[in-house]
Amino acid sequence: MDAQTVLLAIIPPLLAISLAIITKQVILSLFLAIFVGATMLNSENVWTGLFDTFFTFILPGFENVDHQRMICFCAFCSGLSLMLERGGGAEAFATTLTKNVVKTRRGGQLVTWLGGVAIWFSDSTNPVLIGPIFRNITDKLRISREKLAYIVDSTTAAVPTLFTLSAWGAYIIGIIETSYQELSYNGNPTSDFLAGVPYQYYTIGSIVMVLIIAITGWDYGPMKRAEDRALKTGKLVEDGAEVRSHTEKRELPAGAKPSIWNMIIPLVVLIILIFVGMAYTGDAATNGFVGALAAGSSLKSLVIAFFITAIVAGALAIRSKVMNFKEAVSTFIEGCCSMMEVLIIMMLAWGIGSVCSACGTSDFIVQVSENLLTPATMCIIIFVAACLTSFSTGSSWSVFAIFTPIAISMALAIDAPVGMAIGVVLSGGIFGDHCSPISDTTVLSSVGSSCNHIDHVKTQLPYALTVASAAFVGYLITGFIGGNGFIGLAITLILICIISFTLNRQFGRKKQTV
């Protein structure tokens, strides 16, 4: 592989990530990275590169039906979030919980974690739903927005990969089934997916680490500074930080009587509509309810569910005399429009993914990794390669599509458990989706939590690297002991506790504040 090919493969993603961290200008960084990649692909012809930036890599993203649904869903979700906030439901919900149930910072983090784990059916729903709901609670308890975004993001993509009934589970099982057909392997995709769950060391570890940090208070690094700032000064975000989708608190009009039901009823309606939509789009009459949940379109269901729920939330706000009909419509539209900057970032994130594909970023990482694979090191090589690819491209789904067939074929070639290979790929893919600054779920977690995006990335990354390091050791040991997933998972979780405790002891708070 010549030097020019290597540079073409690595410069665009590295440029996007480094510029985003240095300048804190995500949109500019993504655009420049796409432009540089397009120019390199056109033999350094700047004009052709600029032309292809828009018409080859950015704008075609709108032609993708799922992208169209994602844009519509995000807009409706933001409209609903603002409706719940201004309708008084979120405030009443937070007040009730903090007065009667959640009274400590530890409790605030735990209830937010529980909310993130409970909303497991979609990675897109979690950040823009859990963030706004629990933001009022964490704000009252002086929990930093960075910590809220971390809790939300850590359950956003991780939890859905553990269930077959989620959109992620259906997508992954589909990839496995296709791979089996191409390899003429007579395996059960669903069974092997479930067999791979214990091997998702990073996925499970990232969920458990939030619980560990919430209970023990073992914060360290940038997160420790953010938490100390919020606790001591009451500043929930850094001074001068740009926060998207932040809404100013408004006084309720005279006679308004919002209650906790202004929050609970819309949420119940939302969950019911999502499952009804999944059953409808999955043809429950033919496939049965469970089969329909696996085969249904989550994005179609989410679009309709959020739109109808916004109407319900608006009706409750009107009934509570918080706003009139005209104000309710204006609030929903304002909420939809507030997502414009986020949608631009998502559009550019899809664009950088297309550029990386054209530049051969994934192929480069795969080619380098394949030459290093042995039976003992298969897990760690696949894990590292998947981590690097997902972090560079900001996409876990593309990593699943690329690495799953390779991992399965390698496992069959060396007579290793197929479930192990699948679990390792999923775990590595989640790493990038979890903490890459150009991942759409990372962006949505920042927005849903009203946290500066780069501050979210900087505070979360040390925790993500802690879990990834522990998972690396777990996979290394798993390779040498013959593939026992539960032993490797136990080692990973123990190491997460040890590393977190040690780093907190050296760099964290001296005293836990509950």
Side-chain angles (χ1 to χ4, degrees), residues 45 47 57 122 156 180-181 191 207 211 229 253 270 312 332 370 377-378 392 400 419 495-496 513:
N45 187 313
W47 167 248
F57 298 113
S122 172
T156 290
Y180 285 178
Q181 292 174 354
S191 298
I207 299 171
L211 182 62
R229 179 202 68 227
L270 177 65
V312 173
F332 178 72
E370 281 185 319
T377 61
M378 184 187 78
S392 299
F400 299 159
L495 283 175
I496 289 173
T513 303

Side-chain angles (χ1 to χ4, degrees), residues 47 98 192 279 304 326 339 420 427 454 490 494:
W47 167 248
T98 53
D192 289 338
I304 299 300
K326 183 177 180 181
M339 288 294 286
M420 177 178 71
S427 199
I454 299 303
I494 292 171

Side-chain angles (χ1 to χ4, degrees), residues 235-255:
K235 296 179 179 178
L236 302 175
V237 296
E238 193 72 49
D239 288 336
E242 295 182 5
V243 178
R244 302 183 185 91
S245 294
H246 175 68
T247 57
E248 296 181 0
K249 185 176 179 180
R250 297 187 176 187
E251 295 295 329
L252 294 176

Side-chain angles (χ1 to χ4, degrees), residues 205 208-209 212-213 216 218-220 466-467 469-471 473 477 489-507:
V208 173
M209 184 170 179
I212 293 171
I213 296 296
T216 64
W218 290 342
D219 287 309
Y220 52 88
T466 295
V467 179
S469 300
V473 176
I477 294 174
L489 179 59
I491 292 171
T492 298
L493 297 179
I494 292 171
L495 283 175
I496 289 173
C497 292
I498 294 173
I499 296 172
S500 300
F501 173 79
T502 303
L503 291 175
N504 172 261
R505 184 104 176 196
Q506 295 297 320
F507 308 107

Side-chain angles (χ1 to χ4, degrees), residues 292-370:
L293 292 180
S297 171
S298 60
L299 283 176
K300 283 184 179 180
S301 305
L302 291 170
V303 169
I304 299 300
F306 273 91
F307 180 73
I308 295 177
T309 304
I311 296 175
V312 173
L316 290 171
I318 295 172
R319 183 176 181 275
S320 303
K321 298 182 180 180
V322 177
M323 58 183 71
N324 56 39
F325 177 77
K326 183 177 180 181
E327 290 171 335
V329 174
S330 298
T331 298
F332 178 72
I333 294 174
E334 182 182 342
C336 293
C337 293
S338 68
M339 288 294 286
M340 180 56 67
E341 186 176 357
V342 178
L343 296 178
I344 292 175
I345 293 176
M346 292 176 63
M347 175 184 69
L348 293 175
W350 296 327
I352 192 67
S354 297
V355 167
C356 289
S357 178
C359 291
T361 301
S362 300
D363 294 337
F364 167 73
I365 295 176
V366 169
Q367 184 174 344
V368 171
S369 303
E370 281 185 319

Side-chain angles (χ1 to χ4, degrees), residues 119-456:
I119 308 297
W120 52 265
F121 38 80
S122 172
D123 65 306
S124 302
T125 303
N126 190 306
V128 287
L129 184 61
I130 298 300
I133 290 174
F134 291 96
R135 189 171 63 221
N136 288 286
I137 296 174
T138 56
D139 285 358
K140 288 178 182 293
L141 297 170
R142 290 193 174 190
I143 297 171
S144 68
R145 295 282 177 77
E146 290 93 333
K147 175 61 77 64
L148 173 62
Y150 163 64
I151 297 173
V152 170
D153 202 0
S154 295
T155 53
T156 290
V159 177
T161 60
L162 303 176
F163 294 91
T164 59
L165 298 181
S166 68
W168 288 61
Y171 172 73
I172 295 163
I173 290 173
I175 294 175
I176 297 171
E177 184 175 13
T178 301
S179 301
Y180 285 178
Q181 292 174 354
E182 294 176 351
L183 295 169
S184 299
Y185 174 65
N186 186 25
N188 187 309
T190 302
S191 298
D192 289 338
F193 170 85
L194 293 173
V197 170
Y199 293 96
Q200 293 193 49
Y201 298 168
Y202 179 86
T203 306
I204 298 173
S206 63
I207 299 171
V208 173
M209 184 170 179
V210 177
L211 182 62
I212 293 171
I213 296 296
I215 294 174
T216 64
W218 290 342
D219 287 309
Y220 52 88
M223 187 69 79
K224 174 261 180 184
R225 293 191 290 273
E227 283 289 85
D228 283 349
R229 179 202 68 227
L231 180 62
K232 295 175 181 178
T233 70
K235 296 179 179 178
L236 302 175
V237 296
E238 193 72 49
D239 288 336
E242 295 182 5
V243 178
R244 302 183 185 91
S245 294
H246 175 68
T247 57
E248 296 181 0
K249 185 176 179 180
R250 297 187 176 187
E251 295 295 329
L252 294 176
K257 297 180 179 180
S259 70
I260 192 173
W261 295 107
N262 288 47
M263 171 67 73
I264 294 178
I265 291 176
L267 291 182
V268 172
V269 170
L270 177 65
I271 293 173
I272 292 174
L273 287 174
I274 289 174
F275 280 97
V276 170
M278 292 289 286
Y280 176 76
T281 57
D283 192 5
T286 302
N287 299 319
F289 183 73
V290 175
L293 292 180
S297 171
S298 60
L299 283 176
K300 283 184 179 180
S301 305
L302 291 170
V303 169
I304 299 300
F306 273 91
F307 180 73
I308 295 177
T309 304
I311 296 175
V312 173
L316 290 171
I318 295 172
R319 183 176 181 275
S320 303
K321 298 182 180 180
V322 177
M323 58 183 71
N324 56 39
F325 177 77
K326 183 177 180 181
E327 290 171 335
V329 174
S330 298
T331 298
F332 178 72
I333 294 174
E334 182 182 342
C336 293
C337 293
S338 68
M339 288 294 286
M340 180 56 67
E341 186 176 357
V342 178
L343 296 178
I344 292 175
I345 293 176
M346 292 176 63
M347 175 184 69
L348 293 175
W350 296 327
I352 192 67
S354 297
V355 167
C356 289
S357 178
C359 291
T361 301
S362 300
D363 294 337
F364 167 73
I365 295 176
V366 169
Q367 184 174 344
V368 171
S369 303
E370 281 185 319
N371 296 330
L372 301 174
L373 283 173
T374 66
T377 61
M378 184 187 78
C379 286
I380 59 172
I381 295 300
I382 292 177
F383 177 66
V384 171
C387 285
L388 290 174
T389 304
S390 58
F391 188 82
S392 299
T393 62
S395 171
S396 57
W397 282 36
S398 62
V399 168
F400 299 159
I402 294 167
F403 282 89
T404 299
I406 295 173
I408 291 174
S409 62
M410 292 304 301
L412 294 175
I414 62 176
D415 199 25
V418 175
M420 177 178 71
I422 294 170
V424 175
V425 170
L426 301 184
S427 199
I430 291 300
F431 171 80
D433 198 287
H434 184 196
C435 58
S436 173
I438 59 176
S439 166
D440 55 354
T441 49
T442 305
V443 173
L444 290 174
S445 296
S446 302
V447 174
S449 304
S450 287
C451 174
N452 177 269
H453 180 56
I454 299 303
D455 287 343
H456 166 45

